[in-house]
Amino acid sequence: MFDGLKKIIEAVKVLSKNLDMYEKDCVVQAMPSVAFVNRAKKCIENGEFKLAEKILEEAMELPQEDALVYKYLGIVCEKTGRLTEAIVSYKKSANLNTQDKDIWRLLGFALINANLAEEAEEAFENANKMTSLNTDVYAGWGMALMKQKRYEEALDKFLTSVKINKYNFMALLMAAIMEVRLGKYNDAEAKLTFLTGVNSNDANNYEYANLKYLREDYDNAIFYAKKSIEHNKFMLPAYLLLGKLYAIKKMKKECLEEYHKAFELKLFAPNLYFDYAVTMQMFGEYNISKENFERTLDFDKTSEEILSGIALCNAGMEEIDEAEKILEGIKTLDDTNYLYTKALGILSYKKRDWKSATEKFKKALEVVKFDNSLNLFLAHSYENMQDNENAKSYYEQALLNSQNETYVYKDYSNFLINIGAYESAQRKLRRALNEDENDLEILNLLFFAGYKLVKENYSEYNLKETISVGKKILALNEEKFLYKTEYTELANLSGFKDEN
């Protein structure tokens, strides 16, 4: 009997405790689901999402459906990364209570994250009807329009959001981004100058860097991209922009360093592989480039641009049949696409169709002006067509746009020697020696140019200089001196007895 009484007392205590919790949590006593919602809200605030979801599922078993239950279930699903389930719950809540001031906003942002921009636009329109002049609603509305590439309309919504709340810096940033897209650079500059001053963070500095890049203010673009990384070392877009900027400034070492930093931080993403692949083919590193294009293709197997990049690398590596097969399957690209056009150009070049090659390379150069390999391809093509004036012009451009790479000097000097422009070749080669004074290929070319000048137009100065170059080659590596007979001839001419 005593045990039975004890059980009754314990049951009463439990019942009393549940009633106390109910009265404490429930705002509307006639709606028991509210108590469940309030308990779930506390769990959400404490990060106890599994417990919150369990409580809400219990509430769903009640006879009367409550919009709040589905609303907070949607929040739990979104916070735990189940976006599709969150949208389903938000929609259910909105259907049960269309007058809820927050549900349409929550649904709108969830739909944006799910790339359902048109549905998101409708949700924000409904949110605006429920609560007009809400800064977050207008910001979300702008994002929905931006996703649909309706930039003018998106800009209007972002500006309205800022008018409602001048401290909504995210809306101000989005307005600046829209102005950049629309070519309103002055308006965007004013906003980004303000944002990087009062709210310097990774996003604001990156967008300002991107604007500076578009305005060809490359030094300031580098400055702000680096500032972005200072705020967030995992800011991949900033590394990619720096890679492009250093490529434009012909700073190959610095360019590659930025990509390598991104790889070291394991910021693996399709755009990292793609941008790195594009850069490496510019430097003639076709194997590395192809490997990274293929990695990018894993994310989008039907991309004709990526396939064009692979074909470009195949052509560069003399894999002509493979390149042709890929390019024949390209249906949607034209000569406004850089990789596709350059791939066709290299294929024509390898097949010795110089005229077609020059046409394609010029088109590609119109799209990407800082790809210096195109200038060199054009110079070689014109050289093979025996169009010396155009060849010289593109060699000069290649030299101007290089970071004093010795291979450009060598190619140009070989061309000048072949057309008998020995003095010009000599000047180029002297400059090349400033980069590497012991480069035997440059020294051999310099010796030969000097030898030809001495033979054609004797000069004591040229004779002494050329013999001096010959001595240096012999001292460095006698076996790699290509012109020993000519050296002996000059030595005899000067009365010098060659001990070698």
Side-chain angles (χ1 to χ4, degrees):
M1 181 177 177
F2 179 77
D3 288 340
L5 181 61
K6 186 178 178 181
K7 289 179 181 178
I8 292 170
I9 292 170
E10 290 297 324
V12 170
K13 284 182 179 179
V14 171
L15 178 60
S16 178
K17 184 178 179 181
N18 286 340
L19 285 170
D20 289 343
M21 185 181 292
Y22 174 84
E23 289 172 357
K24 187 178 178 182
D25 289 346
C26 187
V27 178
V28 183
Q29 298 293 321
M31 291 274 296
S33 60
V34 175
F36 287 93
V37 169
N38 286 338
R39 288 166 58 197
K41 283 168 66 177
K42 289 177 183 177
C43 291
I44 292 169
E45 289 169 7
N46 295 328
E48 298 171 324
F49 302 125
K50 284 186 178 179
L51 181 55
E53 186 168 358
K54 183 179 178 182
I55 293 168
L56 292 166
E57 285 173 349
E58 290 176 11
M60 290 168 68
E61 294 176 5
L62 295 171
Q64 186 175 354
E65 288 187 318
D66 185 353
L68 287 175
V69 172
Y70 291 97
K71 176 178 177 178
Y72 284 97
L73 183 59
I75 291 171
V76 169
C77 290
E78 191 164 6
K79 285 183 177 293
T80 52
R82 293 136 58 200
L83 192 56
T84 302
E85 292 176 57
I87 290 170
V88 170
S89 293
Y90 287 146
K91 285 183 176 180
K92 178 75 172 177
S93 178
N95 288 334
L96 289 170
N97 182 11
T98 59
Q99 302 304 307
D100 187 320
K101 292 182 178 180
D102 295 323
I103 190 62
W104 294 108
R105 175 177 55 81
L106 289 168
L107 176 59
F109 281 111
L111 289 165
I112 284 174
N113 290 331
N115 291 317
L116 298 170
E118 291 182 10
E119 286 188 57
E121 180 187 356
E122 184 178 345
F124 285 116
E125 285 176 358
N126 288 331
N128 189 52
K129 292 173 186 175
M130 298 301 107
T131 172
S132 60
L133 297 178
N134 179 289
T135 186
D136 292 332
V137 168
Y138 272 93
W141 203 345
M143 289 178 189
L145 293 165
M146 179 186 71
K147 290 270 189 178
Q148 298 175 64
K149 299 184 179 181
R150 292 155 60 186
Y151 300 134
E152 282 285 4
E153 294 172 77
L155 175 59
D156 178 68
K157 301 303 179 190
F158 290 132
L159 291 175
T160 302
S161 177
V162 175
K163 285 178 184 176
I164 297 167
N165 178 7
K166 65 181 180 181
Y167 298 108
N168 191 335
F169 293 147
M170 180 54 70
L172 187 62
L173 174 63
M174 298 308 296
I177 293 171
M178 290 304 93
E179 287 166 344
V180 170
R181 295 275 178 90
L182 293 164
K184 299 178 179 182
Y185 292 166
N186 290 338
D187 292 340
E189 179 117 23
K191 292 177 177 62
L192 291 167
T193 301
F194 170 76
L195 284 169
T196 52
V198 302
N199 188 33
S200 183
N201 60 30
D202 54 348
N204 292 339
N205 281 289
Y206 167 73
E207 293 299 340
Y208 203 11
N210 186 54
L211 175 60
K212 291 294 186 182
Y213 156 68
L214 292 170
R215 303 196 92 163
E216 300 184 2
D217 183 358
Y218 300 132
D219 289 336
N220 275 314
I222 289 171
F223 173 81
Y224 284 104
K226 286 183 174 180
K227 288 282 286 184
S228 176
I229 291 169
E230 285 176 17
H231 286 284
N232 177 9
K233 72 174 183 178
F234 299 106
M235 189 67 173
L236 176 59
Y239 290 106
L240 300 183
L241 181 58
L242 282 169
K244 186 180 293 184
L245 288 163
Y246 284 128
I248 291 170
K249 287 176 69 65
K250 302 172 284 292
M251 299 169 70
K252 179 180 178 180
K253 178 174 174 286
E254 291 81 356
C255 168
L256 296 181
E257 280 177 356
E258 296 303 325
Y259 290 114
H260 293 160
K261 287 176 189 175
F263 281 113
E264 285 170 8
L265 289 168
K266 298 182 179 179
L267 303 178
F268 306 131
N271 50 344
L272 172 58
Y273 295 127
F274 181 82
D275 283 20
Y276 187 53
V278 170
T279 300
M280 294 311 291
Q281 61 81 26
M282 289 183 189
F283 297 136
E285 301 284 355
Y286 297 118
N287 278 314
I288 298 173
S289 178
K290 182 178 178 180
E291 178 185 336
N292 282 275
F293 275 129
E294 287 174 342
R295 285 180 177 176
T296 312
L297 196 64
D298 289 339
F299 297 91
D300 185 357
K301 296 188 182 301
T302 61
S303 170
E304 291 194 340
E305 184 171 35
I306 298 170
L307 289 168
S308 295
I310 293 171
L312 185 161
C313 296
N314 286 337
M317 294 186 294
E318 310 289 344
E319 297 169 358
I320 305 302
D321 290 342
E322 291 87 343
E324 282 186 323
K325 184 178 179 181
I326 293 172
L327 292 171
E328 285 170 2
I330 303 298
K331 304 298 181 186
T332 63
L333 304 181
D334 56 27
D335 60 14
T336 61
N337 183 275
Y338 159 71
L339 290 175
Y340 174 63
T341 306
K342 184 175 180 181
L344 288 172
I346 294 178
L347 187 60
S348 295
Y349 180 88
K350 295 295 182 179
K351 293 168 73 174
R352 305 181 67 81
D353 185 352
W354 312 119
K355 188 174 185 299
S356 174
T358 57
E359 290 171 356
K360 298 301 181 186
F361 290 141
K362 285 180 181 179
K363 285 288 185 182
L365 198 55
E366 288 176 9
V367 181
V368 179
K369 295 179 175 62
F370 59 87
D371 181 358
N372 199 37
S373 70
L374 291 167
N375 288 309
L376 210 51
F377 272 123
L378 280 160
H380 291 155
S381 298
Y382 279 116
E383 181 179 358
N384 282 293
M385 293 167 71
Q386 298 184 331
D387 184 341
N388 293 341
E389 285 304 311
N390 271 315
K392 186 176 180 181
S393 174
Y394 280 104
Y395 273 124
E396 286 288 348
Q397 195 63 41
L399 200 56
L400 180 67
N401 290 334
S402 75
Q403 196 185 12
N404 295 323
E405 285 96 349
T406 55
Y407 70 87
V408 180
Y409 283 108
K410 292 171 187 176
D411 286 1
Y412 193 5
S413 299
N414 267 311
F415 162 71
L416 292 170
I417 288 170
N418 288 336
I419 64 172
Y422 303 119
E423 286 187 29
S424 294
Q426 197 177 56
R427 286 194 294 271
K428 304 298 181 191
L429 291 163
R430 285 171 183 158
R431 284 174 56 191
L433 282 178
N434 293 330
E435 302 304 315
D436 185 355
E437 64 179 2
N438 294 322
D439 187 308
L440 287 167
E441 188 176 352
I442 293 172
L443 288 167
N444 271 290
L445 286 169
L446 183 58
F447 175 86
F448 185 72
Y451 168 78
K452 296 297 286 185
L453 281 172
V454 170
K455 296 291 288 182
E456 287 189 358
N457 186 15
Y458 179 83
S459 157
E460 191 73 25
Y461 175 82
N462 266 333
L463 177 60
K464 289 181 179 179
E465 182 189 19
T466 305
I467 289 174
S468 175
V469 172
K471 285 182 180 179
K472 185 169 184 177
I473 298 171
L474 289 168
L476 288 170
N477 191 330
E478 183 179 350
E479 291 182 0
K480 292 192 176 181
F481 192 5
L482 303 178
Y483 304 104
K484 289 181 183 177
T485 302
E486 289 83 355
Y487 174 77
T488 301
E489 183 183 347
L490 293 186
N492 290 334
L493 186 63
S494 68
F496 167 72
K497 188 85 171 174
D498 184 5
E499 295 178 358
N500 295 300

